[in-house]
Each structure stands twice: as C-alpha cells, then as structure tokens.
Amino acid sequence: MPVTQEQLDDVALSTAEYELILQRLGREPNAVELGLFGSMWSEHCGYKHSKLLLRLLPNESARLLVEPGKENAGVIDIGNGKAVVAKVESHNHPSAVEPFQGAATGVGGIVRDIFAMGARPVALLNSLRFGTIDEPSSAGLFHGVVSGISWYGNCIGVPDIGGEISFADCYSQNPLVNAMCVGIVETSELTYAKATGVGNKVFLIGAQTGRDGIHGASGLASRTFEDDRELRPTVQVGNPFLEKVLIEACLEIASKGILVGMQDLGAAGLTSSVIECASKGEAGIELDLSQVPLREAGMNAYDIMLSESQERMLLIVEEKDEHVIIEACDKWDLDYAHIGTVTDTNRVQIWLNGTKEADLPVDILTDPPLYALDGSQSPEAKAFGERDLGSLALPALTIRESLLKMLSHPDIASKEWVYRQYDHMVQTNTVIPPGADAAVIRVSDSNLGIAAATDGNGRYCEADPFNGGAIAIAEATRNLICVGAQPVALSDCLNFGDPEKPEVAFQLEQCIQGMRAACLALGVPIISGNVSLYNETRGEAVYPTPVIGSVGLVDDINLALKPGFKQAGDLVLLLGASALDKGPQDLSASLALEELHNTSGRKLTIDLDLETKLQKACLELIQEGLIESAHDCSDGGLGVALAESCMPLSIGFKLETPIPERWDAALFSETQSRVIISIRSEKLKDVVQMITQNHVPWMSLGRTTDGELTLGETSLSIQDMTDAFVSRLASV
Amino acid sequence: MRFGIVVFPGTWSDVDCYKALTQDLPHEAEYVWHKETNLTNFDCIVLPGGFSYGDYLRTGAMAKFSPVMDSVRSFAAEGGPVIGICNGFQILCESGLLPGVLRRNEQMTFRCDWVNLRVDNSSTIFSHTLDRHQVISVPISHGEGNYYADDSTIASMEAAGQIVFRYTDESGNATREANPNGSLSNIAGITNTQGNVLGMMPHPERCCDPVLGGTDGSFIFQSIADAANITR
C-alpha cells in the first residue's frame, strides 16, 4: 500500500523519514505502525532537532543518583536516604487552543512524571508567557490558564509555590505555559520506567482510554499551527480527582518495593509509555488492546495506541506480586487491567481481538533520525543585538513617574492576584511562600529546606541568545542564593520557534551554549528538561525562551531569608557589578528601554566569573547569619529591587549616594550579577571582610528608614508604590 | 486524646492534620478510611480539607453518602466532638449536621491566604482556650466558602452563640473588605445547636508551627483536648 502525502502529514513524518522507515524495516508499515512511528519520531518524543544539542548541557554532580535521560528526570541525593526529582515541561500548544484544560493537563502531566519515579509531589511552579495584557485575547488566555492551573493543582493537594509571568507581543497567539513539579522520594523506593523480566505483567491503571488527544504529540506539539480551531479535539481534558487518587495508589504500590517498572502515559499515550519501558528494559512487550478499559465503543488499535487520555499509569510487576496492584486499585476504586506481557523479542507486538495490529522492533522506533541544525543569525537579529543606544535622551517622565510605571508593568507587578488562587500552603511545609526570589518548603520531619524558582528571559535571548541563555541560568541560581539556598539542580524547558529556520536554529544553538557555559561556571547540573519547538503562529516565532526551573537546599529552614528590609536603620549594600555611573548603553535589552524609551534591542552580557563569586559570597553571608535581607536586581534593575525590598514590611530607604545624571540607566539598567543586601550596622566589618575575601566589588547605597523610598530629590511613599505594584494584575 | 482523621478519596488535609496533632501538638491521631464504620476508638473526629470524590457535583454531596458518615452522625448524636475543616465543613452542611450551605466564593475564584478571625463565642469546646473577641490569624484555601443560611437560621444561630468565628480585619471589625468569600454576616465557623459539631472554612492545622507563620490554630485543637479531659 503506497502511503499518501496526507497520511504522512497526519503523523508529521517527512517523505525522507518514511523512506528511512522502509529501509530499516524492510517493508511498508501498516496504518497502526505508521502511527507509532509518527509518535515516536515526533519532535516531542524523539527530540529530532534538539537531541544533539541537548547533549551539550552539563549534568554531572556528586549528588546525582540517577542520570538524566535514563529516566523521566535525574535524581539528586539530599541526604538521610532521601532524594529530590524535578522537571519542567511545556504545555504551550494545548493552552493556546484551550487555555483552561491545556494548562490544567500540563500540571497533571508534570505531576505524573514525578510520581512515576515513586516520588511524592511536594511543589508545583510555573512559568507563563502571554501577549500584551491589554489585548483582550491575551487577558482571556491569561485568565483561562491561571484558572486551569488553580483548578487542577488545588484539587490534587500539591502546593503551587511560585513561578513567573511575563507579557510580550510575540506570545500573543502562542502563549508559553511551562509547569514544574518537585518531588521527594525515599531512595529505596525509587521506581524506574523499564520493562524487564520475560513473562512479567504489564498493567494499565487509572482513567479509561478515550479518543481525546490523538495526535497530540505528533500534531500539536511538533508543528506550527495556522488554524487553531480545528485542533481543539487534540487537547485532552483533565480529571484532577482521579490524578489525586492515582498518586496515592501508585505511591502506595511503590512503597511496597515490588514494582519492576512504572511509567506515566503522557505525550503519545500508550505508545511512548510502552515503547520507552521496553527500550530501557532492553526487552519486548506484547500488548492485548482488547483488555484496555475504553471510554467509548468502536476504538481501533490506532486510536487506543495514540490516545492521550489523562491520568493513566503503566505498571510492570512480577506475576506473584500482581495482587499488590489489584488490592491498591480496589482500595482506591481505580480501574486496572492486565494489558500485556514482557517478552524477550525486543519487539512491540500489538494485538486487538485476536488480530495482530503491529509488530515492530523497539530499537527502530526509539532511534529517530537526528538532525544537526544549520543555524545562522539573520542580519536583522545581529543589528538588533548591536544597537547603539548612546544617543538615547533622558526619558520624558520624572524618576517618580518612571518608578511607578515600572512597578505597575505586568512583568514586575505583584503576582499575588495569581498565586492567591493557588493553594500554596497545603502539605504544611511552605516556609517562604510565593512572592520572594524563590520559595522554600521544608522536607517533612526535618529542618532541611528545598528552595525552588523558575526563570526565563525572552527579551535578553532575543537580543543575544548566548548571553540570554547564560543569564537564564545565572538568574535561576541567584534567586535561590537570595533565600539562602545552595543550588543543586536545574531543569530546563526550551521554548523556541521552528528549528528548521536558520535564524531559530542559531538561537537554539547559542542559547544552549550559553546555558552550558553558565552551568559549568556555577557548577550546577541540568537534571531534566523538555523542548518545545514550533512556537510560531503564521510565521512569527516567539522570543527564544529557555525557562529554567531551579532547586536548591537550605540546610536549616530557620535561616532561610525572607524577602524585604527588616527594620529601619540597617545599612544597604549593593554587591557585584556595583558601579552606578551608567550610561544609556547600559539599558541594553531592559524593560525600561521599552517602557521609558519606547525602543528595544542591544545585547545584555554577563560576566560568569563575577557571577560565580557573587553567588558564593552571598550564600556565605546568609549561612553565617550576617545579613537581614537579600534581593537580586533583575527586571526593572536597582530601582525596582529597592522598591520591592521596601514593600513587604513597609520599611523605607534613603539613597545616600548621588544619583548620576543618567538616572534612567542608574536606576533601571538590568546589568547582571547584582544583589542588594541589608545588614545591621554592627555587622558591617564582618560583612565587608567576607565580601572582599571573595573578591566581590561592593558599594554602600544608604540606610533603611521608617519613612519612604528616597532617591535623591524624589520620595515615594510605600503606599503609592504598593498601589502601583499590587493593582495591575488584579484589574485585568 | 485520640483524634480520628477521616480520609475520603480526594482528601488532602489528612496528613496536615495528622502532623499538626501528633508532631506540633502532643495528641494521638489515626486515619479513618471512608469505608470504615467503627469510630469507638476516638475522642474526636476530624473531617479534613480536600476535594472529596472530586467535588464535581457539589462540595460534600458525594461524601455524605460514604459509609463512615453514618457513623459520624451517630458519634455526633452521642455528643462526641466533630470538627470539619474546609471540605469537612462543606460535608457537615451537606450531611445536615450543620445548618446552611457553602456557595462559590463571591469573586468566583479560589482563594488561598491568611485571614483574621474574631472569636465570637469563646465558651464552646472548640474555642474555650481563646478569649471572646480575640482576633486570631489562620489560613484559608477554598473556592466555595461563601456561607449562606436563611435569615431566621442566622438569627437563631446568633442567639444561641453558634457563630464561633467571623472574618474580620486586624482590629476585629467584620468589614466587607475583610470577608474573603462573601459569606453572610462574615461567618467563618459555626457549631450545631448542641455545640459538639464545629465547621470552619479556615485551616487551623496550617498554623500550629511557628515556621509556617503562626500557631493560632493550636488553640482550637487544644480546646478540644482540654474539654475532653474535663468531661472525663
């Protein structure tokens, strides 16, 4: 049967890829088999365009128990027989089509990745990007996504402890919805996604399988889309209650230590789950699809294999232990079915009602062609990165007006309206709630804390992908440092446009190189990740947006540093790249450039050597209990960082150094590697000694007060700043 | 003092209650599976927060048919103390153990935050270690906490001192701004007429440990324990 172009389009395979299948298989695949190839060779499952690059990302760490890539996520030892797993994943395309369910099932999917390893999900975070907030369609997507995350996350009882939200035109038709989950596992109860042991039984538990989400991986996630209306049926619908029950049942089973393997059903459903388990176990699997509990009649093998129905898990167990699964499922009123058997054929063999529907070698399915990218920077992008801002005049606004404008920008404005809709306290371990540089949760029954944050900066990456990638890593770890946590692991989600375009390929290559450089400098491994390509609508790509989820350890939660100046009379120092005499060129890629100057461009760079020293010094200061507060200068620069330090506890600040003529650059430049700290004045000597030992430049900025934020001639009351800061998102 | 913490499918404050009672406070506690019907081992029953059975129909509407609820009704009828927190409050209302209903929050969004509660009756077994009109700080986390009952029910509850907690500002004023969900008369927690069944939307188990930001919740559990000891 010669295949038609339409059939290939359906499964997103190229003619050349089809030829390759014929050559390796030695025959034509049937329709079901073609569907399996389409899924396994999709960008989403097969990482065709990114795998070669992803190998550049460092993943070495003395704490690493399980290597990333071998499992859903790398596993990091945190001592006392416990380990942490974490992963960020995208659900961009489904959320563009159906924001509520798209975002909700994004949460569900990442949570399953974590408990599939036997880990208890203990924290959720997210990173969201929308079009300009004043656009009604962006506001609609924003509200839909936030409600979806709230609905799903709250129901499953996992605290949503933080994240970030940013708005820019390029995301208006293609929002980015990245979700992160952190889990804690007893190392003795780690489970693996592998099928071993000939004759062992393969169980499917959880939701019934329906026709939802067919072609999710191959269609939705692996192509740009032109007309989104027709794609609605490819989005799945979530059932968070079932997920909660599935978590409890699976962890109960995992705690018995009898599981040979466990794997969630995510993108490409049963197909990728079964084939990955067979591949990792170097085995074959024989499936009888007539055993799969179905939601509707008349589903054929193709439908069943490619369905992305949510809340399902694959469990592999020795026959003698199957009663453990059955008992747990009975207790939790979950559907279960024995759907297959582990074989020694290294083939996946699929039967439905006595008919053999597919019979393919596992190794071909899991070995898609890998494409080396051929990137080159477009002249426009190069010019954008090298823009000369030297002739930029001072803004027309005053300092006061500028700061209030910056504080009310939706990227900077308080996200309280959002995180108030997420249960961030359930599990009663949240020590530092959302709103700080990073959130901190306690590891149950201990004083150990886990800090987590998400960070991304499309604006910097658009201006210069190498530096932008490096800055994303540096900011993610700096945020952890500012609450007193030692960064131990990162997870990345790479959101890019169409990699087959040279300019996008260039961005991807450079970004990953920049991330690599920063990871090596800072000594932090990337333990898991996800790639979301084809984030384009009608030919327009989103900013290159690597989102970094970071995890750090706080040795003693009582020493975790809460945000904000603590009392009047403290000294405030600026550590790191501390010079204030800045010029307009320093406004590179900043938010102020867009907001106060109505223009954009020019690359922002980072000195990774300085960043490393700064982070080390800052962490030591906190661990020694020498400082009262720490906050990094990021979006909105020093001016916004000072205001953000004043607002939490309503403490004022007076700048005791003259404001240079170019106050716009001095206050709002987003120069990297800067942290402001506040200290009791009697600690100055010890603090300075520790800073200079670490060869970190610093300067004194002034003192905290009972009153207002005073910058030269300008004074702003805490109330005025808070009004600007808090009301913006609440009023969308 | 031995607490029984009921676990429905979809309950998620069970572990938080267990930790608060047994680690932050010096009590004993045990989980009670929703299919269990024997409650004789317990001095107090806790119905914790969560989304029992997903609460897709109406909060608590499925849970009230759970086998354990018949036993909870008997336990309460015999005067045993029962505390329903968040979803537990919703289940108690739905089961007829407490008057009124909990509707969708007025703002139509879920809300997780710290709120101030004024103690309007400090002579119940749940509140006697607090002072009348004392203001305590306790977290809320719900989408459907908007309490409603008809006027005569509210009036009779008021007269009988059944309204134990109200949402207020820091100074104890029951203002509209201090009401996080639109509850009638700023009601946050009520008892039955006998005074042995309490339902409250806020989560006392989330504030029994200073590292979490407060310990006011411990007074409520301590009240129950002290009352039980006195009765004995």
Side-chain angles (χ1 to χ4, degrees):
Chain A
M1 172 201 73
V3 70
T4 65
Q5 190 60 44
E6 199 186 340
Q7 279 173 295
L8 287 183
D9 285 348
D10 267 353
V11 293
L13 288 172
S14 69
T15 312
E17 286 165 347
Y18 184 70
E19 295 294 333
L20 192 61
I21 291 170
L22 293 184
Q23 187 197 331
R24 292 213 198 149
L25 204 55
R27 64 174 171 86
E28 281 180 351
N30 64 30
V32 175
E33 291 171 336
L34 191 63
L36 301 190
F37 272 108
S39 294
M40 295 307 293
W41 285 22
S42 70
E43 189 59 48
H44 199 80
C45 296
Y47 294 93
K48 284 184 289 202
H49 290 92
S50 55
K51 200 173 227 165
L52 295 172
L53 279 171
L54 293 176
R55 289 179 184 156
L56 292 172
L57 292 174
N59 59 23
E60 274 133 41
S61 160
R63 291 179 178 273
L64 203 63
L65 292 177
V66 177
E67 269 179 58
K70 295 220 160 132
E71 289 299 327
N72 284 321
V75 179
I76 292 284
D77 189 359
I78 58 171
N80 284 330
K82 288 187 164 69
V84 64
V85 291
K87 191 176 179 186
V88 190
E89 200 165 67
S90 64
H91 231 213
N92 303 338
H93 290 123
S95 303
V97 177
E98 214 300 288
F100 182 92
Q101 287 293 344
T105 53
V107 173
I110 193 65
V111 167
R112 281 193 297 283
D113 270 352
I114 297 303
F115 74 81
M117 302 183 71
R120 160 79 53 186
V122 294
L124 287 167
L125 295 96
N126 43 70
S127 172
L128 312 176
R129 297 285 183 286
F130 303 98
T132 319
I133 193 69
D134 302 314
E135 240 179 89
S137 61
S138 298
L141 286 170
F142 169 55
H143 283 156
V145 165
V146 169
S147 318
I149 293 171
S150 164
W151 176 67
Y152 205 103
N154 294 342
C155 189
I156 60 175
V158 181
D160 194 318
I161 58 169
E164 46 142 30
I165 310 178
S166 173
F167 301 85
D169 243 351
C170 65
Y171 304 111
S172 76
Q173 303 293 311
N174 197 127
L176 303 184
V177 177
N178 293 182
M180 173 175 177
C181 186
V182 182
I184 295 178
V185 57
E186 302 284 335
T187 48
S188 59
E189 292 175 13
L190 265 168
T191 51
Y192 303 97
K194 64 175 183 192
T196 53
V198 174
N200 283 344
K201 291 190 158 185
V202 179
F203 278 82
L204 178 64
I205 76 170
Q208 297 178 340
T209 298
R211 281 202 173 93
D212 48 340
I214 293 172
H215 288 161
S218 59
L220 208 47
S222 300
R223 287 190 274 201
T224 61
F225 44 88
E226 304 307 319
D227 185 352
D228 46 25
R229 279 165 304 182
E230 67 192 68
L231 292 168
R232 205 168 298 267
T234 59
V235 179
Q236 316 80 5
V237 175
N239 179 350
F241 165 65
L242 191 52
E243 178 101 341
K244 166 68 177 158
V245 171
L246 196 59
I247 294 172
E248 299 306 331
C250 287
L251 293 183
E252 204 167 289
I253 295 166
S255 72
K256 306 278 197 253
I258 51 97
L259 281 175
V260 173
M262 176 151 71
Q263 172 71 317
D264 63 300
L265 279 78
L270 201 49
T271 298
S272 70
S273 189
V274 164
I275 293 168
E276 278 172 25
C277 283
S279 174
K280 283 175 185 155
E282 295 175 3
I285 289 185
E286 193 166 15
L287 288 182
D288 179 3
L289 298 185
S290 62
Q291 300 304 311
V292 174
L294 299 179
R295 195 179 297 156
E296 56 187 299
M299 288 180 68
N300 59 29
Y302 187 91
D303 296 340
I304 298 169
M305 287 306 292
L306 267 61
S307 160
E308 291 189 8
S309 289
Q310 300 290 291
E311 292 95 21
R312 297 180 297 163
M313 275 287 189
L314 198 71
L315 276 62
I316 296 146
V317 72
E318 287 180 37
E319 184 163 7
K320 70 175 172 58
D321 296 321
E322 69 177 1
H323 67 97
V324 176
I325 294 178
I326 294 167
E327 282 159 15
C329 289
D330 282 343
K331 173 183 168 188
W332 290 97
D333 294 320
L334 278 174
D335 278 336
Y336 63 87
H338 168 213
I339 63 162
T341 309
V342 180
T343 67
D344 60 0
T345 60
N346 294 92
R347 300 177 78 84
V348 54
Q349 292 162 308
I350 296 167
W351 297 79
L352 177 62
N353 300 327
T355 306
K356 192 182 243 185
E357 298 277 358
D359 187 345
L360 295 171
V362 171
D363 58 355
I364 302 182
L365 286 162
T366 53
D367 185 28
L370 299 182
Y371 301 119
L373 297 187
D374 188 12
S376 65
Q377 193 173 28
S378 72
E380 296 80 16
K382 191 167 167 27
F384 186 72
E386 289 171 0
R387 270 202 65 190
D388 183 358
L389 303 173
S391 58
L392 213 59
L394 273 170
L397 303 176
T398 63
I399 292 180
R400 179 189 166 82
E401 289 164 343
S402 302
L403 183 53
L404 291 176
K405 186 171 188 194
M406 295 297 289
L407 287 175
S408 68
H409 187 281
D411 283 20
I412 290 174
S414 166
K415 307 299 183 289
E416 187 187 353
W417 181 83
V418 175
Y419 62 72
R420 213 165 69 175
Q421 296 182 50
Y422 305 152
D423 190 338
H424 48 264
M425 304 187 204
V426 67
Q427 297 191 9
T428 52
N429 285 319
T430 309
V431 176
I432 296 189
D437 284 337
V440 177
I441 54 167
R442 168 180 59 187
V443 177
S444 284
D445 307 324
S446 77
N447 268 339
L448 184 67
I450 291 180
T454 57
D455 265 286
N457 55 63
R459 218 171 46 241
Y460 303 162
C461 292
E462 177 77 2
D464 183 274
F466 181 90
N467 278 287
I471 290 171
I473 300 285
E475 285 201 316
T477 50
R478 202 189 308 137
N479 280 330
L480 300 178
I481 296 282
C482 284
V483 297
Q486 169 79 53
V488 294
L490 304 173
S491 179
D492 65 315
C493 186
L494 303 173
N495 305 276
F496 286 75
D498 177 354
E500 291 161 58
K501 292 180 180 171
E503 63 273 22
V504 174
F506 177 83
Q507 292 171 335
L508 192 55
E509 290 164 354
Q510 289 294 306
C511 235
I512 287 177
Q513 291 288 2
M515 289 165 59
R516 172 185 164 80
C519 284
L520 291 175
L522 294 163
V524 195
I526 292 188
I527 61 161
S528 59
N530 167 245
V531 180
S532 173
L533 302 177
Y534 304 97
N535 288 290
E536 301 200 355
T537 305
R538 294 173 192 95
E540 289 294 313
V542 298
Y543 288 161
T545 314
V547 166
I548 310 299
S550 55
V551 176
L553 295 183
V554 183
D555 292 337
D556 179 357
I557 42 168
N558 297 301
L559 289 178
L561 212 50
K562 296 194 167 138
F565 295 142
K566 298 298 183 299
Q567 59 263 315
D570 285 354
L571 296 174
V572 177
L573 313 184
L574 177 61
L575 311 188
S578 59
L580 278 197
D581 52 338
K582 296 190 177 300
Q585 301 282 27
D586 294 310
L587 284 164
S588 314
S590 65
L591 198 59
L593 195 58
E594 293 180 3
E595 285 302 292
L596 307 181
H597 292 282
N598 212 14
T599 185
S600 56
R602 188 170 177 85
K603 68 177 162 195
L604 182 64
T605 56
I606 182 166
D607 174 349
L608 289 170
D609 182 47
L610 173 61
E611 180 72 37
T612 309
K613 289 176 183 159
L614 170 72
Q615 293 196 10
K616 179 169 173 284
C618 212
L619 186 59
E620 284 178 18
L621 286 170
I622 298 172
Q623 287 175 338
E624 293 296 320
L626 286 173
I627 65 179
E628 301 292 301
S629 74
H631 187 24
D632 85 315
C633 295
S634 57
D635 278 358
L638 179 66
V640 166
L642 287 170
E644 285 175 342
S645 299
C646 289
M647 288 185 284
L649 300 176
S650 294
I651 303 294
F653 168 76
K654 186 171 191 310
L655 186 69
E656 288 171 350
T657 181
I659 296 190
E661 189 201 337
R662 284 315 295 235
W663 56 265
D664 55 340
L667 291 178
F668 302 117
S669 142
E670 291 174 14
T671 303
Q672 288 300 298
S673 310
R674 296 187 299 168
V675 172
I676 52 173
I677 62 169
S678 63
I679 62 169
R680 307 305 326 246
S681 50
E682 67 268 20
K683 299 276 177 66
L684 182 63
K685 197 174 150 232
D686 292 342
V687 169
V688 168
Q689 190 183 5
M690 192 167 273
I691 300 170
T692 40
Q693 267 171 9
N694 281 291
H695 309 289
V696 174
W698 65 281
M699 70 177 286
S700 173
L701 289 174
R703 270 175 202 277
T704 58
T705 67
D706 283 325
E708 311 183 307
L709 172 60
T710 305
L711 306 166
E713 311 277 284
T714 306
S715 277
L716 293 97
S717 73
I718 309 287
Q719 190 62 50
D720 286 350
M721 292 192 294
T722 307
D723 287 346
F725 184 64
V726 171
S727 60
R728 187 64 183 92
L729 283 185
S731 63
V732 170
Chain B
M1 181 72 190
R2 194 169 180 77
F3 289 82
I5 303 167
V6 177
V7 183
F8 300 97
T11 294
W12 42 235
S13 279
D14 46 348
V15 179
D16 301 354
C17 287
Y18 185 87
K19 276 171 29 185
L21 289 166
T22 63
Q23 292 174 16
D24 303 333
L25 301 168
H27 307 304
E28 288 176 38
E30 197 178 301
Y31 297 115
V32 181
W33 188 236
H34 67 116
K35 291 174 184 170
E36 178 62 55
T37 51
N38 181 357
L39 301 179
T40 50
N41 276 334
F42 304 107
D43 305 309
C44 173
I45 296 299
V46 182
L47 300 179
F51 286 71
S52 50
Y53 303 93
D55 276 343
Y56 291 129
L57 176 59
R58 199 173 59 241
T59 55
M62 297 287 287
K64 75 169 167 183
F65 295 113
S66 230
V68 75
M69 284 311 295
D70 282 334
S71 308
V72 171
R73 280 186 203 93
S74 313
F75 185 88
E78 288 159 18
V82 176
I83 174 170
I85 298 164
C86 195
N87 192 219
F89 186 12
Q90 295 162 341
I91 294 167
L92 288 173
C93 289
E94 197 63 43
S95 306
L97 283 164
L98 288 174
V101 293
L102 292 146
R103 301 174 302 177
R104 191 90 193 269
N105 290 356
E106 191 177 47
Q107 305 82 346
M108 303 303 278
T109 51
F110 192 96
R111 178 124 177 215
C112 176
D113 213 343
W114 286 84
V115 296
N116 294 302
L117 300 180
R118 187 182 68 207
V119 182
D120 277 2
N121 183 346
S122 60
S123 55
T124 75
I125 57 168
F126 306 98
S127 59
H128 65 93
T129 57
L130 293 157
D131 295 329
R132 180 166 149 82
H133 289 171
Q134 184 178 344
V135 176
I136 58 174
S137 181
V138 183
I140 55 165
S141 184
H142 59 252
E144 302 186 30
N146 180 354
Y147 184 79
Y148 176 83
D150 61 42
D151 291 346
S152 62
T153 307
I154 299 276
S156 71
M157 286 203 301
E158 189 86 73
Q162 288 173 249
I163 301 170
V164 184
F165 300 115
R166 277 194 163 90
Y167 301 109
T168 64
D169 62 19
E170 283 171 23
S171 319
N173 303 305
T175 60
R176 188 172 166 76
E177 293 70 40
N179 186 338
N181 52 29
S183 280
L184 213 61
S185 190
N186 284 42
I187 287 173
I190 58 169
T191 63
N192 59 351
T193 48
Q194 295 77 23
N196 67 318
V197 177
L198 173 81
M200 63 187 295
M201 287 313 295
H203 288 268
E205 80 282 6
R206 293 189 181 187
C207 51
C208 292
D209 180 349
V211 81
L212 302 176
T215 54
D216 285 349
S218 57
F219 289 105
I220 294 168
F221 295 118
Q222 201 51 50
S223 292
I224 302 171
D226 288 356
N229 288 336
I230 294 161
T231 337
R232 276 176 188 173

